[in-house]
Amino acid sequence: MSLETELKKAIGNLRSGRLEREEQVKQAVILPILRELDWNPADPDSIVPEYPAGSGRVDYALLCYGDPEVFIEAKRRGALDAGAEKQLFNYANNRGIPLLVLTDGYYWDFYLSMAKGPPEERRFRRLELHDDEKIPEYAEALTAYLRKHHVASEEAKRNAEKRLESERKRKRTRKAIPKSWNALLTEPDERLCEMLVEKVRSDTGDIPDRSDVEDFLKNLLPVPVRSTAAARLPFRRPAPPAAEKPVRKTGQTHTPGFSDFAESRGAATEAYLQSQRKDPQRGERLQEVIYDLMRVLLETHPELLDDETIYFLENERKPMGTKLGYPLIRRISEGRKINGRPRYKEDIFAGQWYVCTEWNKAYHRHNARALSGWVESLMSDTDDSGTRDSLVGIRDRLSIHAEMQRP
């Protein structure tokens, strides 16, 4: 069986939803792929499972000439997070292991162990096994970094070093693009002005006044510059917003209710709260607010969701500290069903996402508080007033649910 054939089989297994435990991922995805890369699970000089490393044991060590050259840590589907990453690096600490792999079968994260920087900055490649049409691309990457003779000859390490440098250069330039563009708008560049003048002349036959062109460019809205905190949002757990303390008069006890909360939100919110108070069962469900939140983020302001955040929402069982039944969003290629039952809404967001419908009603207010805190952090990470305006209403609606006791 070829590597591409095995990859197709692995994607089918992952897509089925049957691989929920770590051992299932190992047997149905990881070991078959390693076998096609010339690592023999039956040969103790090739693959050693549960290899002693530091105070623990890494799931697999790939050996060349008796020495470990690659550590692979396996997790169940959706269990990749900062803790798993830290665990893998603790295993490799000061052991001279060139390459590290962290995988749940679906995602394969590759790290250059001895590069500089924190673990997330040493990751040079992420594969996402979900698209049959990309199987040749997956096979090429796996061959470059994990084929046995490439590892033994250190070609895999050289490939990793080139890729990491390329990725770091791309991140530096990508981060600089908004700032450079905003600088061009502040003091319009000669070439930019000339290009716009020529375009107007081509479209209308008339040459615009140079000062009008410069004024137009200066008045364009600047591009929001993402902060470092926003880029690493998936590994941040924002604390729930502090509860508002009720004002108490001497000798009087008071429990905050709908009217207390409404005073800080305005007349429109107060009216909404009063309608909820009269008939909570017919009011807006938390899930409806979350649908609107994901629609805003996925379709209107995707710049707030980088690859790390998308990965976190799609895989983490408790994103932002919520107590959800399943990952918040799921690719349409994986289908709406888990264990034979539809767990995701029929609507497709941004052409490729389903949103989870499995909310634990017992944690209604907890989830609303956690999500409200996350939206608050998104608002603080953007300088664009339009983006903040899009989020403020959703934050307030989430905060309302955080204060309500559902029947």
Side-chain angles (χ1 to χ4, degrees):
M1 187 179 294
S2 69
L3 176 57
E4 292 191 5
T5 302
E6 194 58 65
L7 282 168
K8 185 173 183 178
K9 182 179 177 182
I11 290 173
N13 286 329
L14 292 166
R15 193 176 289 154
S16 71
R18 296 191 302 267
L19 309 183
E20 295 189 346
R21 294 186 291 109
E22 179 182 315
E23 193 59 34
Q24 292 174 312
V25 172
K26 290 179 181 178
Q27 296 300 323
V29 179
I30 298 173
L31 285 178
I33 288 176
L34 290 178
R35 190 179 294 111
E36 294 303 324
L37 292 167
D38 303 328
W39 302 97
N40 183 2
D43 182 359
D45 291 327
S46 181
I47 299 180
V48 179
E50 298 298 322
Y51 188 86
S55 59
R57 293 177 178 271
V58 67
D59 285 313
Y60 298 109
L62 307 186
L63 276 58
C64 294
Y65 312 113
D67 295 321
E69 298 290 337
V70 181
F71 276 177
I72 299 177
E73 182 65 12
K75 296 295 180 183
R76 61 174 172 78
R77 281 295 307 276
L80 299 190
D81 56 20
E85 193 176 60
K86 181 179 179 181
Q87 179 186 28
L88 176 59
F89 273 82
N90 285 339
Y91 289 150
N93 189 32
N94 298 322
R95 296 185 63 88
I97 309 298
L99 299 176
L100 307 177
V101 180
L102 180 63
T103 179
D104 64 354
Y106 186 88
Y107 284 97
W108 292 64
D109 287 343
F110 294 82
Y111 301 85
L112 195 59
S113 173
M114 292 172 281
K116 294 181 179 180
E120 66 270 13
E121 293 182 9
R122 295 187 237 181
R123 189 181 68 198
F124 61 87
R125 187 71 184 264
R126 165 175 285 166
L127 294 183
E128 184 179 344
L129 305 186
H130 74 282
D131 189 344
D132 290 342
E133 294 183 0
K134 292 185 178 181
I135 285 177
E137 176 186 329
Y138 304 149
E140 181 181 4
L142 288 165
T143 297
Y145 309 122
L146 286 182
R147 179 75 70 182
K148 187 172 184 178
H149 75 266
H150 287 168
V151 173
S153 66
E154 296 192 355
E155 183 176 350
K157 179 183 176 182
R158 292 191 292 271
N159 290 337
E161 290 170 342
K162 291 178 182 178
R163 175 80 185 197
L164 180 61
E165 179 55 33
S166 175
E167 285 295 301
R168 287 181 169 179
K169 184 182 296 183
R170 184 180 179 187
K171 287 180 181 178
R172 288 195 299 269
T173 55
R174 186 167 54 196
K175 184 178 180 181
I177 288 174
K179 293 182 180 179
S180 299
W181 173 249
N182 292 343
L184 287 176
L185 296 182
T186 304
E187 293 294 334
D189 180 82
E190 180 71 23
R191 290 168 296 176
L192 187 60
C193 290
E194 289 178 357
M195 289 173 62
L196 186 52
V197 167
E198 178 56 29
K199 180 61 177 172
V200 173
R201 186 201 65 77
S202 174
D203 290 343
T204 68
D206 298 320
I207 299 177
D209 188 275
R210 178 59 177 260
S211 63
D212 290 339
V213 171
E214 292 182 354
D215 288 343
F216 170 79
L217 291 173
K218 288 179 180 180
N219 289 324
L220 286 178
L221 290 175
V223 177
V225 179
R226 296 285 304 281
S227 68
T228 302
R232 296 189 61 193
L233 180 63
F235 297 151
R236 184 174 62 190
R237 299 289 200 278
E244 298 179 11
K245 296 182 179 180
V247 178
R248 297 187 179 182
K249 297 180 181 180
T250 305
Q252 180 182 5
T253 59
H254 176 70
T255 300
F258 290 104
S259 59
D260 299 294
F261 189 70
E263 288 175 0
S264 66
R265 298 297 181 184
T269 300
E270 182 175 2
Y272 169 78
L273 280 172
Q274 295 303 328
S275 68
Q276 291 276 35
R277 187 179 188 182
K278 290 178 181 177
D279 193 353
Q281 290 184 334
R282 297 182 61 185
E284 180 180 52
R285 295 181 303 142
L286 172 62
Q287 192 169 4
E288 293 167 355
V289 186
I290 295 173
Y291 288 157
D292 286 347
L293 168 61
M294 298 317 301
R295 183 177 291 108
V296 166
L297 295 180
L298 293 169
E299 299 181 350
T300 308
H301 295 293
E303 73 277 2
L304 293 177
L305 296 176
D306 56 20
D307 292 342
E308 294 289 339
T309 309
I310 287 287
Y311 164 75
F312 184 75
L313 295 175
E314 188 185 6
N315 287 272
E316 180 63 40
R317 297 249 174 190
K318 299 179 181 178
M320 286 71 66
T322 57
K323 298 180 180 180
L324 305 177
Y326 296 94
L328 185 57
I329 58 177
R330 181 178 174 91
R331 294 182 185 273
I332 61 173
S333 59
E334 293 190 278
R336 296 174 54 233
K337 293 184 177 181
I338 295 180
N339 296 334
R341 294 182 58 190
R343 308 288 186 180
Y344 291 82
K345 186 175 174 64
E346 290 183 359
D347 294 355
I348 298 175
F349 291 70
Q352 62 176 321
W353 301 104
Y354 291 123
V355 175
C356 185
T357 61
E358 294 293 316
W359 306 108
N360 189 326
K361 303 304 186 295
Y363 299 111
H364 177 91
R365 288 190 292 177
H366 172 91
N367 289 341
R369 285 195 298 267
L371 288 166
S372 176
W374 181 49
V375 173
E376 195 76 56
S377 73
L378 293 176
M379 292 167 58
S380 67
D381 285 335
T382 179
D383 296 323
D384 181 59
S385 59
T387 303
R388 285 197 300 272
D389 288 344
S390 298
L391 294 174
V392 67
I394 291 177
R395 178 206 61 187
D396 289 351
R397 289 158 66 193
L398 287 168
S399 297
I400 290 168
H401 281 273
E403 296 294 322
M404 291 167 45
Q405 179 64 55
R406 303 294 286 184

